[in-house]
Amino acid sequence: MLERLPSQVSVYEVSPRDGLQNEAAPVPLEGKIRMIEALVAAGLDRIELTSFVSPRWVPQLADAEELVRTLVPKSEGVTFSALVPNATGLERALRAGLREIAVFLSASETHNRKNTNKSIERSLETFAEVVPPARQAGLEVRAYISTVWGCPYEGAVPVARSLELARALLELDCYQVSLGDTVGVGTPLQTRRLLETFLAEIPAERLALHCHDTRGTALANCLVGLELGIRDFDASIGGLGGCPYAPGAAGNLATEDLVYMLQGMGIETGVDLDLLVEAGRVAERVVGRALPGKVHQAGGAMRVRSG
Ligand code: HMG
Ligand code: MG
C-alpha cells in the first residue's frame, strides 16, 4: 500500500457552506468572514463559501452575495466556490463575482426530491441550463452526487446509478464529481468496491470524496480512496456540517483530522496544521458550540514536553 501513496493531496474545504448550512443558530456575516479568513491563513486554497440556493430553504446562507463580494477581492490565489441549484443561482453567483460553482444532485430519488423539490431527471435537465452557460462565462464547475453510499430514506443505492450520474455530469463538462457519503454510512470495503467501479472508467483526478463522519468511518474511507489514487478530499473545519434535508447527517470529516493523517504520512497539502487548529478554535467561537473533530479536541499534534 505505502508505495502507492501520492506525495500531494488537495483539500477542498466545505465548512462555510456544508458546516454553516446546518447550524441551528444563524451565524452573523462578520463571524463567517473571521472563520473563512482563518481558513485561508492556514493555507486552504479551495473553499466552498456558501450556496446560491433559495433563502427560504436554507436561511443560514441568505447572505451569500455579501459574503462573496467581501471575500473574493481580498483573497488572491484562493479558489472560492458556492453551490448553485438552478439558473437563478447561477445568475446570482455570476453577479457576485464567483469564478467557480458546484451543482448537486442525489443518487436516490427521495433525497433528491426532499433536497431540491425535483426528480433526478429534472435536476439533470436543470444542470443542462446551468453548466453550459457557466462554462461559456468562464466558470469552473464542480458537481456533487449525494447518497452514493446510502440514502436516509431509501437505504442502499445501486453503484450503477451513481456511476451513470457521474458520467452525465462529466459529459456536461463539470471538471470533477465529488462523491458524497451524505449520512456517513460507508465502510472501507464498500468504499473499495464502489471506487473500483468508478475508477474502471473515470480517471481518479475527476473524482473527489466527500465523506460525512457520522459513524466515525470517514477517515478510513478516505484512506481507501487515497490508496486507489484519489487525490481530492472534501473536509470541514472541526467536523462542522450536515445536510438539513438528510435526517441523521452529522459533520463532514474534520479538516484537522485529514491533514493530521496526511502530514503524518508525509503527504503534502499546503496546509499548516497549527494554523488549522487555530482556525478550528475561531470556528468554534463563531458557531458558539463545541466541535466534534478529534484533532480539534486534542488541541493539535502532540507536543513533547521538555523537563
Ligand atoms: P423550489 O421552491 O422548487 O423553487 O425550490 P422554484 O423554482 O419553484 O421557485 C420558488 C421561489 O424560490 C421563487 O421565488 C424563486 O425565484 C425562488 P418567488 O417567485 O416565490 O418569490 N428561487 C430562488 N431564490 C434564490 N436563489 C435561487 C432560487 N431558486 C428559486 N437559486 C430549490 C427549488 C432547488 C431552489 C430549493 O429546493 C433549494 O434551494 N434547495 C437547496 C437545498 C440545499 O441547499 N441543501 C443542502 C445542500 S446539498 C448537501 O448538503 C449535500 C452535499 O454536501 C453533498 C453530500 O453531503 O452528499 C452537497
Ligand atoms: Mg455534505
Side-chain angles (χ1 to χ4, degrees), residues 204-226:
E205 63 272 16
R206 301 201 73 187
L207 295 172
L209 295 190
H210 178 99
C211 298
H212 284 262
D213 202 22
T214 320
R215 293 168 182 79
T217 53
L219 199 54
N221 292 329
C222 286
L223 185 58
V224 170
L226 202 60

Side-chain angles (χ1 to χ4, degrees), residues 52-275:
F52 289 98
V53 297
S54 160
R56 273 190 226 154
W57 282 63
V58 186
Q60 294 91 332
L61 305 183
D63 55 6
E65 274 82 357
E66 242 178 313
L67 187 68
V68 169
R69 288 204 181 105
T70 308
L71 286 166
V72 167
K74 280 206 228 173
S75 313
E76 220 175 292
V78 180
T79 301
F80 288 127
S81 186
L83 290 193
V84 161
N86 52 22
T88 309
L90 173 61
E91 237 171 76
R92 291 177 59 204
L94 280 170
R95 255 188 278 124
L98 270 189
R99 306 304 307 150
E100 179 166 325
I101 59 165
V103 294
F104 58 103
L105 50 59
S106 310
S108 53
E109 200 62 51
T110 316
H111 182 256
N112 201 67
R113 284 181 190 276
K114 299 259 187 202
N115 201 33
T116 62
N117 204 24
K118 298 179 176 61
S119 64
I120 295 173
E121 197 185 339
R122 183 73 196 110
S123 283
L124 285 172
E125 286 165 8
T126 304
F127 297 163
E129 297 158 9
V130 169
V131 183
R135 296 291 294 130
Q136 275 153 26
L139 267 60
E140 296 293 340
V141 183
R142 199 174 192 242
Y144 286 100
I145 305 176
S146 289
T147 66
V148 172
W149 278 256
C151 171
Y153 303 103
E154 295 179 15
V157 175
V159 181
R161 183 64 176 133
S162 303
L163 183 58
E164 187 189 342
L165 294 172
R167 254 184 235 130
L169 292 163
L170 293 172
E171 271 165 24
L172 260 180
D173 205 17
C174 296
Y175 76 89
Q176 188 169 69
V177 176
S178 183
L179 304 176
D181 186 4
T182 314
V183 282
V185 291
T187 51
L189 198 53
Q190 177 194 15
T191 302
R192 171 172 293 278
R193 290 185 180 136
L194 194 148
L195 288 180
E196 279 172 351
T197 306
F198 275 89
L199 290 164
E201 64 172 274
I202 298 176
E205 63 272 16
R206 301 201 73 187
L207 295 172
L209 295 190
H210 178 99
C211 298
H212 284 262
D213 202 22
T214 320
R215 293 168 182 79
T217 53
L219 199 54
N221 292 329
C222 286
L223 185 58
V224 170
L226 202 60
E227 192 194 349
L228 291 175
I230 305 289
R231 302 287 175 264
D232 289 86
F233 298 90
D234 299 0
S236 176
I237 197 77
L240 264 173
C243 174
Y245 296 99
N252 292 77
L253 171 60
T255 315
E256 301 93 317
D257 296 5
L258 176 65
V259 169
Y260 176 79
M261 180 185 83
L262 294 171
Q263 186 175 293
M265 294 167 83
I267 299 170
E268 186 51 58
T269 58
V271 179
D272 180 307
L273 185 59
D274 290 335
L275 291 177

